[in-house]
Amino acid sequence: MSIDLVLCATDLSMEEGTAWRSAGRLVQALNARVRLVHVIEPVIFPYTGEGPDRENLREKLRSEFLGEARRAVRARLASLEREWAEGYRADKIEAVTALEGFAAQMILLEAERTAADMILVFNRRRSPLHRLLHGSVAQQVMSGARIPVVAMPIVDAERSAVTTENAAVE
C-alpha cells in the first residue's frame, strides 16, 4: 500500500510540539504529501438572561468568539506551516486548513474528501474517568476511519520533566 497523502490533524496545543517532530519524521520517511487540518468546535453560550434580545445576544457573543478563534487559528496554523516547511520539504505541504464542526467527524470527512491515504492524530494520556466520560478525538477517528490511522502520543511536559529529573538522580 502506497501512502501518498497524510492528513495531519492538530488541536494546535503547545504540548504537541515534540509529537510534531516525530510526525514529521514519519511523513518524511513515507515521502508523502501533507495536509494539516484543525477543527474549530461549535460554541454554545448558555446565557440565561430574559427578554427578546436574548437570542441576539447569544448570536453576537458566539459570532465574536468564533471570529477571534478563527483569527487565532489562522495565525497558529501559519506558524505551524512555517515550522514544518523548515524541517520538512515545503513543496510536500499540500494545504493547511481550518474547518468548523465536531473534530472527529470533520477529520474523517476531510480525509474522505481529499482521498487521504492515512490520518495522523495526536493522543493525550487522559485519566480513565476522563476517557469514559468524554472519549477522545483520536479514539473516535480510529473507530470511524476507513484508512490507516497513526495516533502519536503526546508526552505531558510535567511527566517528561519528572522522568528527566528522576533519570538524572539515578
Side-chain angles (χ1 to χ4, degrees):
M1 173 181 206
S2 174
I3 305 292
D4 181 52
L5 176 63
V6 178
L7 181 70
C8 296
T10 176
D11 68 5
L12 298 176
S13 66
M14 298 312 258
E15 295 86 8
E16 287 181 348
T18 56
W20 271 113
R21 286 189 283 283
S22 297
R25 286 191 299 272
L26 171 66
V27 173
Q28 196 165 12
L30 294 169
N31 194 29
R33 293 174 297 124
V34 176
R35 185 174 199 89
L36 303 173
V37 65
H38 172 76
V39 179
I40 300 171
E41 295 265 354
V43 178
I44 299 172
F45 285 96
Y47 183 75
T48 59
E50 297 293 326
D53 288 336
R54 179 177 65 184
E55 287 304 315
N56 290 340
L57 179 58
R58 267 191 208 165
E59 184 54 35
K60 182 180 180 207
L61 289 171
R62 191 184 78 68
S63 177
E64 288 176 6
F65 180 82
L66 279 175
E68 185 57 35
R70 288 179 188 120
R71 282 186 290 280
V73 164
R74 279 194 299 271
R76 180 68 181 111
L77 279 171
S79 171
L80 183 58
E81 183 178 19
R82 282 190 301 277
E83 290 172 30
W84 261 60
E86 290 171 7
Y88 190 53
R89 292 182 20 214
D91 63 317
K92 289 290 191 173
I93 300 172
E94 180 179 276
V96 180
T97 309
L99 305 171
E100 293 182 26
F102 294 101
Q105 180 182 27
M106 295 307 296
I107 292 165
L108 292 169
L109 286 171
E110 184 71 359
E112 190 172 314
R113 187 187 73 74
T114 61
D117 300 303
M118 177 185 286
I119 301 170
L120 189 144
V121 293
F122 297 101
N123 193 24
R124 280 189 178 66
R125 294 184 182 153
R126 305 263 191 204
S127 72
L129 179 60
H130 186 277
R131 285 198 185 270
L132 176 67
L133 295 175
H134 303 287
S136 78
V137 171
Q139 286 175 325
Q140 292 170 26
V141 169
M142 285 187 276
S143 68
R146 295 181 183 158
I147 58 176
V149 177
V150 173
M152 289 275 177
I154 294 177
V155 178
D156 184 4
E158 290 178 18
R159 259 186 226 176
S160 180
V162 168
T163 304
T164 305
E165 288 174 18
N166 289 344
V169 170
E170 294 172 2

